[in-house]
Amino acid sequence: MTSPSASGHHGFSFDDLERLAPLLFGLLEYAPEYVLLLSPTGVIRYVNRTVAGVTMLELIGRSVFDYIEPESRDVARACIERVVATGEAQTYECLGTGPHGRPTRYESRVGAISEDGQVVALLLISHDITTRVAMEAELRASREQLAVAVAASGLGLWEWHVDSDTVVWNEVMRQLHGFAPEQVPRNFADLVDTLHPDDRAGLAARARQVASVEDFVDFEYRIIRPGGQIAWLLVRGKPVKDDRGRIVKMMGGVVDITARKQADEALRREEERYRSLVATLAEGIVVVDVDGRVVTCNASAERILGLGRAQLHDPLGLASPFRAVHEDGAPFPPEGWPAVLTLRTGEPQVGVIMGIYRIDGVLVWVSVNAQPLYHAGSAAPYAVVASFFDISDRKRADAERERLLGDEQRARRRAVILAEAGKLLVSQRDVHAALAEFVHRLVPEWADLAAVELLDDDGHFGLAHRVAVAAGDPELEARYLDLRRRLPLPADCPLLEVLQRDEVRLSSARPDAPLLALPGVPETDAWLALRLRYRAIALVPLVARGRPLGVMLLATRGRALGPDELSLIDELALRAAQAVENARLYHEMEVALAKREEFIAVASHELRTPLTPIVLQIDRLIRRARGDGEFSAAAALPKLGVIQRQADRLHRLIEELLDVSRITGGRLKIEVEDVDYAELLRAIVEHFTEPLARAGCEVHLTAPLYASGRTDRTRFEQIVSNLLANAMKYGGGKPIELALAQDGETVTLSVRDHGIGISTGDQARIFQRFERAVSERHYGGLGLGLWVARHVSEAMGGHITVTSAPGTGSVFIVKLPRLVAEAQ
């Protein structure tokens, strides 16, 4: 190899080569061959990679023969001496030390580097041929085995006699095809049928070729064995001619090459895969010198960076077209870039993650390795090799994974808080204590303030309404509760509007805007107004089964409330509303059970009361009838009168109980007929003459002479009787005023007593089943009369009301249609 300078042409000198060698070796660092720069005597001056246990510095300056096995040194030395002597490249094979320290077979090519006609250096490139040598040895062994097999008649042999069109196979041939003896083809046509359909035409063409030559002709074809397997066969054939040169037969041998074909196909696929991997290599490589010039830039680098090599001016300096960021988004200044650090310190950088904003604005994430390049004898690198992978997809996947992990963690936290809230709200019988613990569970993890404000018994946010609050400050919570006990919520308070509209309201302030005042906190309370200000405030109505119960408040100072938080708040409000409603229903159930027990006791007493005198009077009559005393009509009539009155009373009690069953079961019937309301009312009052006299009540009746209509006579009597009985019970000894009036299509009945009266709070309750405004110990009855009167009035299309005050008596007014419609 002659130096360009020595030949008189312009080019680089040995110094140029020495200066470029580190760059070349940096690029060839991962090449499979050993590339060495040697002195003419074989001393190593540069090498692209080392062997196991030896550093680069230890290699340089040592003889290359130290790394060649003794039996190969003479061959290597002779080759090198010929190159030095002649200047012409030479090749030799030797056994040398491999990269892992084990003996390895190499094929080495040595070239001369000349300067002024003298060989000043040698370039040696060694290629590992251990595998190839082993394969060649295996191939030779295989050929020997094949020769043995042929010698032992292991080949399938065949003959085709042309004149008689007869085909002859040996046993191996039949076994190769998998045929039974009777399936062996007898003529050429049968022979063609044994081939794969796609190869039959080719067999005929090769038969003609065999006939035209003197030597063997090879032909590969496929067959389909009886089991459906496809096999490849290699056939060799040649013609046999008679003395006149006419072909009388063809003959040859066949070998199964299926395994070889499969191996070839596998090798072909592997080679295609390897080429595809190389073609789609995503690693970018850029070599930049200390002046910022791009020495090398591959296509992947251009694709990743979005710029061609010609556009990459000063990629590492202040004029770099790129802006970089760290993984946390912080700026990544150029002086900290891996390639810049490597040029400045000479230290390689490995696996540095950078986010690069290309000039088109796209952010590309790369993993960068940087390797310094040195001139011989220089302590400072003159260039840097930067290799990098595009990991944007991985970063996006990591970001998505982080997002999903965050979603999962938030979902778990949400599930935990919902489960804890649900458990807390149902585990305590005192729902108000549970609500107090519930709001404290939300602070400070989910909010800075949490409160539940429930409507009072009148359905308002009055001074008596229940409040649970948590704010992380006991004094603040105490003052909030005190505010609610001192001042009712104003009519325009957002809490009332939220509950009326049954909608969630979220108020948020911008980060640069003042904080929002908590609804319902007056500015006059300066201490609370100053402290109850928040960045975001959510008001959620508490509604269960269509019934408004109150409002839940959540407020935060340092952050806004997003859709996830609002969804959680809505779920928490639903659980709180259900807990309050369940507590109310449980309380009503307890009250109902108590009333049931009370009713059973009262009913038992009321039913025994008329039965006792009936039993006594019957006993007396029986004794007199037996002759124990004088038995006469005069003596019996008073006792029979007692029996009749008590039986009537017992009958009324039983009828009331039956009416309860009919009303609650929806079986109350209204059977109408033509009546005179005035005459019917007078008849009812006359029927009550004796009970009114016993009660000491004088009745004043006001009614027209005639008031026609249609109604259920029995049910009308029931309404009047129950109201009269009620007036006698609670206004005994005082007059009772009955009035009947007809106004168009409406009949109005009023019953006024002058008894104990009814408080405003009890007036709605007395029309409920088993309810009364006084103790049953002082006033008997089942507590059903007014309840039955109300339901009967409503069943006939009317209604009943009461006006009363304690100590002034009561007025019950019944309004009925004059013509009651018959209905069931």
Side-chain angles (χ1 to χ4, degrees):
M1 181 182 297
T2 304
S3 167
S5 298
S7 60
H9 299 287
H10 294 290
F12 56 86
S13 65
F14 176 75
D15 291 338
D16 296 327
L17 182 60
E18 186 178 45
R19 186 169 52 258
L20 289 176
L23 171 60
L24 295 175
F25 291 154
L27 294 175
L28 295 173
E29 180 179 351
Y30 299 105
E33 297 85 3
Y34 271 105
V35 181
L36 298 91
L37 188 65
L38 307 176
S39 72
T41 60
V43 176
I44 299 173
R45 301 183 66 176
Y46 290 97
V47 64
N48 66 331
R49 55 198 180 103
T50 65
V51 297
V54 182
T55 66
M56 186 69 72
L57 292 177
E58 290 173 334
L59 276 174
I60 295 174
R62 298 188 65 173
S63 173
V64 71
F65 300 110
D66 292 344
Y67 301 98
I68 298 176
E69 294 299 312
E71 61 268 28
S72 299
R73 289 175 185 170
D74 291 341
V75 174
R77 183 174 285 107
C79 180
I80 290 175
E81 290 175 352
R82 284 196 302 274
V83 173
V84 173
T86 64
E88 296 179 356
Q90 301 289 330
T91 300
Y92 68 92
E93 291 186 11
C94 70
L95 192 65
T97 303
H100 302 290
R102 294 190 296 269
T104 304
R105 176 68 60 179
Y106 287 101
E107 180 181 71
S108 301
R109 183 172 179 82
V110 184
I113 300 176
S114 302
E115 190 172 66
D116 298 330
Q118 296 293 324
V119 175
V120 296
L122 301 174
L123 181 65
L124 185 148
I125 300 175
S126 293
H127 178 67
D128 184 347
I129 61 171
T130 305
T131 303
R132 190 189 75 189
V133 170
M135 290 179 64
E136 288 175 350
E138 290 178 1
L139 182 58
R140 285 194 299 271
S142 297
R143 287 174 178 171
E144 291 174 358
Q145 293 174 359
L146 180 59
V148 173
V150 171
S153 300
L155 292 176
L157 301 177
W158 59 271
E159 292 182 2
W160 174 38
H161 298 270
V162 178
D163 292 339
S164 61
D165 190 17
T166 302
V167 173
V168 179
W169 281 5
N170 71 345
E171 182 64 17
V172 176
M173 190 74 175
R174 181 182 68 78
Q175 293 175 355
L176 286 176
H177 285 74
F179 286 168
E182 64 273 11
Q183 294 177 306
V184 174
R186 301 304 178 187
N187 52 47
F188 187 78
D190 293 342
L191 175 64
V192 172
D193 289 341
T194 65
L195 272 65
H196 190 284
D198 294 342
D199 295 341
R200 291 171 184 172
L203 178 63
R206 285 304 178 94
R208 289 191 295 271
Q209 184 181 359
V210 170
S212 63
V213 298
E214 295 291 336
D215 203 355
F216 282 100
V217 174
D218 293 343
F219 173 51
E220 295 177 359
Y221 64 90
R222 290 167 292 176
I223 62 172
I224 303 177
R225 289 176 174 151
Q229 303 92 349
I230 296 178
W232 279 91
L233 300 180
L234 171 63
V235 59
R236 298 195 71 189
K238 66 176 298 183
V240 177
K241 300 179 181 179
D242 58 13
D243 295 339
R244 294 176 293 177
R246 186 174 64 88
I247 297 176
V248 294
K249 69 175 180 179
M250 294 184 185
M251 60 181 299
V254 172
V255 64
D256 188 342
I257 60 169
T258 304
R260 193 197 75 189
K261 280 291 189 179
Q262 292 173 345
D264 290 345
E265 179 63 20
L267 180 60
R268 184 189 61 79
R269 289 195 299 266
E270 186 65 20
E271 289 176 349
E272 288 181 356
R273 187 179 70 85
Y274 176 76
R275 287 194 295 270
S276 298
L277 288 175
V278 172
T280 58
L281 184 64
E283 183 179 14
I285 298 177
V286 175
V287 180
V288 184
D289 64 15
V290 291
D291 296 325
R293 292 189 298 269
V294 176
V295 178
T296 300
C297 178
N298 69 352
S300 293
E302 295 179 0
R303 174 181 54 80
I304 294 171
L305 299 176
L307 291 176
R309 177 175 176 177
Q311 299 170 296
L312 290 174
H313 302 296
D314 194 18
L316 305 183
L318 296 177
S320 172
F322 306 114
R323 179 170 63 88
V325 294
H326 288 283
E327 288 187 273
D328 60 0
F332 201 139
E335 59 269 20
W337 291 6
V340 175
L341 285 177
T342 297
L343 278 176
R344 186 173 71 245
T345 65
E347 294 293 330
Q349 304 294 316
V350 179
V352 180
I353 305 300
M354 298 179 64
I356 298 177
Y357 283 96
R358 305 190 319 191
I359 61 173
D360 58 4
V362 175
L363 174 63
V364 178
W365 288 98
V366 294
S367 176
V368 183
N369 299 321
Q371 184 71 28
L373 298 176
Y374 294 92
H375 287 308
S378 174
Y382 70 91
V384 62
V385 178
S387 61
F388 46 92
F389 290 95
D390 186 345
I391 60 170
S392 301
D393 290 342
R394 193 190 80 188
K395 291 292 289 185
R396 283 191 288 268
D398 290 344
E400 178 66 12
R401 185 165 54 253
E402 289 294 327
R403 185 189 68 79
L404 293 176
L405 180 60
D407 290 346
E408 180 184 1
Q409 291 174 343
R410 286 190 292 272
R412 288 182 178 178
R413 290 173 57 207
R414 174 192 179 100
V416 168
I417 190 66
L418 289 175
E420 290 179 352
K423 182 178 180 180
L424 175 65
L425 292 171
V426 301
S427 62
Q428 301 186 28
R429 292 191 60 183
D430 185 354
V431 70
H432 302 294
L435 287 174
E437 189 173 346
F438 165 69
V439 294
H440 279 87
R441 175 64 183 82
L442 301 178
V443 176
E445 181 178 0
W446 291 94
D448 296 302
L449 177 135
V452 173
E453 307 217 15
L454 300 179
L455 296 174
D456 56 23
D457 294 338
D458 296 328
H460 303 99
F461 288 115
L463 298 180
H465 83 280
R466 304 298 291 265
V467 179
V469 62
D473 182 348
E475 182 182 2
L476 185 62
E477 296 167 4
R479 291 208 180 193
Y480 186 92
L481 294 174
D482 179 67
L483 172 68
R484 290 294 185 254
R485 295 189 187 99
R486 289 187 291 106
L487 295 175
L489 292 175
D492 59 348
C493 180
L495 272 68
L496 294 170
E497 184 179 355
V498 163
L499 195 56
Q500 291 168 356
R501 295 188 177 185
D502 189 15
E503 63 181 13
V504 178
R505 174 176 294 182
L506 173 64
S507 302
S508 299
R510 296 192 308 273
D512 57 344
L515 298 178
L516 303 174
L518 194 70
V521 178
E523 292 295 335
T524 54
D525 193 329
W527 194 91
L528 278 178
L530 177 63
R531 288 163 177 81
L532 295 179
R533 291 185 174 276
Y534 299 93
R535 178 72 58 202
I537 302 172
L539 307 180
V540 186
L542 302 181
V543 179
R545 299 169 60 187
R547 177 190 180 96
L549 302 174
V551 175
M552 186 171 79
L553 300 85
L554 264 82
T556 57
R557 287 194 178 91
R559 59 185 176 84
L561 294 173
D564 290 342
E565 288 86 354
L566 286 179
S567 175
L568 174 63
I569 294 170
D570 200 29
E571 287 283 345
L572 291 172
L574 177 61
R575 281 163 169 72
Q578 290 173 341
V580 173
E581 178 67 5
N582 290 340
R584 183 187 69 81
L585 294 174
Y586 184 80
H587 175 70
E588 290 183 355
M589 180 188 70
E590 288 184 322
V591 171
L593 290 175
K595 288 181 179 179
R596 186 192 69 177
E597 297 299 326
E598 177 186 337
F599 166 72
I600 291 174
V602 171
S604 301
H605 172 74
E606 291 294 324
L607 291 174
R608 280 198 304 269
T609 298
L611 280 175
T612 299
I614 291 174
V615 171
L616 291 174
Q617 296 303 327
I618 291 176
D619 182 64
R620 291 174 182 174
L621 288 174
I622 291 174
R623 286 201 306 271
R624 287 182 180 274
R626 289 175 176 172
D628 295 340
E630 181 182 353
F631 185 80
S632 63
L637 283 176
K639 296 176 175 58
L640 292 173
V642 172
I643 292 173
Q644 183 181 20
R645 288 194 301 275
Q646 297 303 327
D648 289 342
R649 180 180 178 185
L650 186 61
H651 178 266
R652 287 196 302 274
L653 290 172
I654 294 173
E655 283 297 321
E656 283 186 351
L657 292 175
L658 290 174
D659 282 337
V660 171
S661 176
R662 295 186 189 103
I663 293 171
T664 57
R667 299 187 303 274
L668 185 66
K669 294 183 179 180
I670 302 298
E671 298 177 351
V672 301
E673 58 181 292
D674 293 334
V675 298
D676 180 352
Y677 282 104
E679 179 184 358
L680 182 57
L681 180 60
R682 285 189 285 269
I684 296 170
V685 172
E686 184 178 352
H687 180 72
F688 270 80
T689 299
E690 185 177 346
L692 287 168
R694 286 199 304 274
C697 295
E698 181 180 355
V699 175
H700 301 282
L701 176 61
T702 303
L705 293 177
Y706 182 74
S708 66
R710 286 178 63 82
T711 192
D712 186 320
R713 178 185 297 272
T714 302
R715 296 302 175 190
F716 184 79
E717 290 177 354
Q718 191 175 22
I719 293 172
V720 178
S721 298
N722 287 349
L723 292 178
L724 274 175
N726 189 75
M728 288 187 293
K729 183 187 298 184
Y730 298 108
K734 297 180 180 179
I736 299 173
E737 300 166 4
L738 273 75
L740 180 73
Q742 180 177 334
D743 182 12
E745 295 300 316
T746 303
V747 173
T748 303
L749 170 69
S750 68
V751 179
R752 177 188 294 273
D753 66 67
H754 298 275
I756 62 175
I758 309 167
S759 67
T760 303
D762 291 331
Q763 288 179 14
R765 189 166 59 84
I766 61 173
F767 290 104
Q768 301 299 320
R769 184 170 42 174
F770 312 133
E771 290 284 358
R772 49 172 59 83
V774 295
S775 171
E776 70 276 3
R777 295 182 179 179
H778 300 90
Y779 297 90
L782 300 176
L784 295 172
L786 293 178
W787 182 78
V788 171
R790 176 172 71 89
H791 278 281
V792 170
S793 300
E794 292 173 354
M796 292 196 296
H799 63 273
I800 183 170
T801 59
V802 63
T803 302
S804 181
T808 62
S810 304
V811 180
F812 290 88
I813 298 176
V814 181
K815 290 185 177 293
L816 298 171
R818 186 177 70 84
L819 302 176
V820 176
E822 185 167 357
Q824 181 175 342

